[in-house]
Amino acid sequence: MDVRALPACPVETTLTLISDKWKVLILRDLMSGARRFGELKRSLGAVSQKVLTAQLRQMEDSGLLTRTVYPEVPPRVEYRLTDLGRSLKPVLDAMQSWGEAYQAGLR
């Protein structure tokens, strides 16, 4: 992503990179290690193949994950977080804690 295209506000920058529901869930799934496309699709459930592909490409372009194609038959493709992607762990942890507290308050 071109740094000149990013918003001036750091919070808005973060939201620009992970604002889609699927991106946050992809990050969640990849925090534990590499995953194949099918594994991600099964974990996310309702996401279409087209949307998942687009989200993964955007995240790769942003430097949050890498896509590795293994020269096998059939081809195997794995997605893995970069150091930059893994650096979002505290953000996801905070979102999880907040969500748990919110859910507990509704009971």
Side-chain angles (χ1 to χ4, degrees), residues 30 33-42 52 56 70 72 74-79:
L30 293 179
R35 296 281 182 272
R36 294 176 72 172
F37 185 89
E39 292 174 308
L40 289 169
K41 180 139 180 22
R42 277 190 299 280
L52 180 55
L56 289 167
Y70 294 92
E72 301 172 355
R76 177 170 54 109
V77 178
E78 285 186 345
Y79 297 89

Side-chain angles (χ1 to χ4, degrees), residues 71-102:
E72 301 172 355
V73 177
R76 177 170 54 109
V77 178
E78 285 186 345
Y79 297 89
R80 180 181 313 272
L81 291 179
T82 61
D83 289 342
L84 181 63
R86 281 190 297 280
S87 74
L88 286 163
K89 185 169 182 358
V91 175
L92 295 183
D93 289 345
M95 290 172 70
Q96 179 178 350
S97 295
W98 188 90
E100 288 169 352
Y102 180 80

Side-chain angles (χ1 to χ4, degrees), residues 37-50:
F37 185 89
E39 292 174 308
L40 289 169
K41 180 139 180 22
R42 277 190 299 280
S43 176
L44 299 176
V47 67
S48 70
Q49 183 168 332
K50 179 181 176 182

